[in-house]
Amino acid sequence: MTQSHKGHDHVWADDLTRNQELVLGTLAHAHGPLSAYDILDRLRDDGLRAPLQIYRALDKLTERGLAHRLESLNAFVCCADAHCHQSGCIAFAICERCGKVEEFAEPAIESELKGWSKASGFVPSRMTVELRGLCAGCASQPA
Amino acid sequence: MTQSHKGHDHVWADDLTRNQELVLGTLAHAHGPLSAYDILDRLRDDGLRAPLQIYRALDKLTERGLAHRLESLNAFVCCADAHCHQSGCIAFAICERCGKVEEFAEPAIESELKGWSKASGFVPSRMTVELRGLCAGCASQPA
DNA sequence: CCCGATATGTTATTTAGTTACATCCGCGCG
DNA sequence: CGCGCGGATGTAACTAAATAACATATCGGG
C-alpha cells in the first residue's frame, strides 16, 4: 500500500504512509497553520480518531522537513518549498491579524547563529526563528 | 503593600505586586527554565493555588522584560541581565542534555531580521530565536 | 466618599501532548 | 511455508499547558 493509493493531488515523497500522507495533505490545503487537533478534526472522516495518530505522522514529517512546527503557536505548516530542508535554518513570519505564515531562509542569520555557537562551544541541533507581527497586507489596513 | 513586604533577596523593580515578586523570585532561584506549573508547585506554601495566578504574573513580567518565555519549551526563565530588554532581540541556547539556558543578544541577527522585515513589508512586534543542542560542557562529555 | 482601573482568588473547561499496551503488516530467513 | 522482528497503527487513559467566566479586593484620583 505504499504507492498510488488513489488519485490524490500532489506527491511529495513516494514512501509516505497513509497517515503521513493524509496529514501532509491536510496541511497543504490549509490556508494557515493548524494545530494537531485541528488536523485531527479534519481527518475524522478518513478514520483517524486519536491525537497520537496525528502526532506520530507529524513527527516523521517534521523530521524529513516536509512540515514545520511553529513553536510559538503550537501549530504546524506544510513546508513551503522543496529546497528548504537543504538550507538548515528556516525562519517564519507570523501575522497576528490574519494568521498567514511566511517561510523564509536568511542564510546570513544562520551563519550568525553558527558563528555564535562556534565561539561559545554550543553545538546546535535545531534552530527556531519566528517573527510575530503584521504581514504587509494587514499592516497597511486601516484598523 | 507595594513596597518592602519583607527582607526578600533582590529587588528588580520597586513596583512589582506580591505575586509578581514571588514568581520572579522563583525563576531567579531556579537553575533552569520552569514551566508555569513548576512555578505553581513551588509557591503553594505561599498561598498560590491556581495556574491563572502564575500566568497573570508571568504576563506582566514578560511584558516588562524581567522574564522570558521559551516557546520551544513552554517554560520561562528569569532575564539574565538588566540591559537585555533595551536591545529588542534576545536569543536563547537551550541544552537538551542538562537543561541549561544561555541568553545572548546578537545585534547582527536582529538587524538581519529587521532588514528582511523592511524588505517584505512585515511589521514585527516580537522575535523568537531559540537554539536547541548541547552546551559546551555537555558536548565535550563522553556519552 | 465614590468610582474606575488594576490585581486577586476560585472553579471549571478547553487545548496540547504523552504513556502504555495491543495489534497488524511487510519482509528477510531458516 | 512459518517464524520472528521492526515499523506503523489503533485505542484508551492520562498528564500538562493554557484559558474562560465570574466574584472580590485594593488603590489612587476627582
Side-chain angles (χ1 to χ4, degrees):
Chain A
M1 222 209 244
T2 297
Q3 50 183 355
S4 77
H5 319 160
K6 75 224 67 165
H8 247 166
D9 332 26
H10 198 300
V11 172
W12 296 272
D14 54 358
D15 59 345
L16 292 179
T17 69
R18 174 179 143 86
N19 286 0
Q20 288 163 19
E21 206 171 302
L22 285 170
V23 167
L24 187 53
T26 304
L27 284 177
H29 284 118
H31 294 331
L34 296 179
S35 76
Y37 282 76
D38 290 338
I39 298 172
L40 178 55
D41 286 340
R42 300 185 185 201
L43 289 177
R44 301 233 182 237
D45 295 343
D46 295 277
L48 297 207
R49 288 135 195 278
L52 194 46
Q53 299 179 284
I54 308 299
Y55 283 110
R56 288 201 271 228
L58 286 170
D59 279 348
K60 298 296 181 189
L61 293 171
T62 52
E63 258 174 33
R64 297 182 49 167
L66 298 171
H68 303 295
R69 177 193 176 87
L70 300 175
E71 303 284 0
S72 66
L73 238 45
N74 290 338
F76 300 83
V77 290
C78 182
C79 179
D81 77 300
H83 315 293
C84 86
H85 49 287
Q86 293 159 12
S87 72
C89 181
I90 310 140
F92 300 93
I94 302 166
C95 179
E96 305 199 284
R97 170 120 43 126
C98 71
K100 203 180 59 175
V101 174
E102 284 180 81
E103 177 179 342
F104 62 101
E106 277 283 9
I109 293 172
E110 183 173 10
S111 57
E112 280 294 334
L113 289 173
K114 289 236 178 87
W116 178 87
S117 297
K118 181 166 275 183
S120 70
F122 190 88
V123 180
S125 62
R126 202 150 56 82
M127 305 179 168
T128 300
V129 179
E130 297 179 17
L131 302 186
R132 308 289 293 265
L134 297 177
C135 70
C138 289
S140 65
Q141 217 125 7
Chain B
M1 217 208 246
T2 297
Q3 48 182 356
S4 76
H5 317 161
K6 74 221 72 163
H8 247 165
D9 336 24
H10 198 299
V11 173
W12 295 271
D14 54 359
D15 58 345
L16 293 178
T17 68
R18 173 180 143 86
N19 286 1
Q20 288 163 21
E21 206 170 303
L22 285 169
V23 168
L24 187 53
T26 304
L27 285 176
H29 285 118
H31 293 333
L34 296 180
S35 76
Y37 282 74
D38 290 338
I39 298 172
L40 178 55
D41 285 340
R42 300 183 185 204
L43 288 177
R44 301 234 182 236
D45 294 342
D46 295 278
L48 297 207
R49 289 136 194 276
L52 195 46
Q53 299 178 283
I54 308 297
Y55 283 110
R56 289 201 272 230
L58 285 170
D59 279 348
K60 297 298 179 185
L61 293 172
T62 52
E63 257 174 34
R64 297 183 49 169
L66 297 171
H68 303 295
R69 177 191 176 88
L70 300 175
E71 304 284 0
S72 66
L73 237 46
N74 290 338
F76 301 83
V77 290
C78 182
C79 177
D81 77 299
H83 315 294
C84 84
H85 48 289
Q86 294 159 12
S87 73
C89 179
I90 310 140
F92 300 93
I94 302 166
C95 179
E96 305 198 287
R97 170 118 45 123
C98 71
K100 204 181 58 174
V101 174
E102 283 180 82
E103 176 180 341
F104 62 101
E106 278 283 9
I109 293 172
E110 184 173 9
S111 58
E112 279 296 333
L113 289 173
K114 289 234 177 90
W116 179 86
S117 297
K118 182 166 274 182
S120 69
F122 189 88
V123 180
S125 61
R126 201 151 56 83
M127 304 179 167
T128 300
V129 178
E130 297 179 16
L131 302 186
R132 308 289 294 264
L134 298 177
C135 70
C138 290
S140 66
Q141 217 126 5

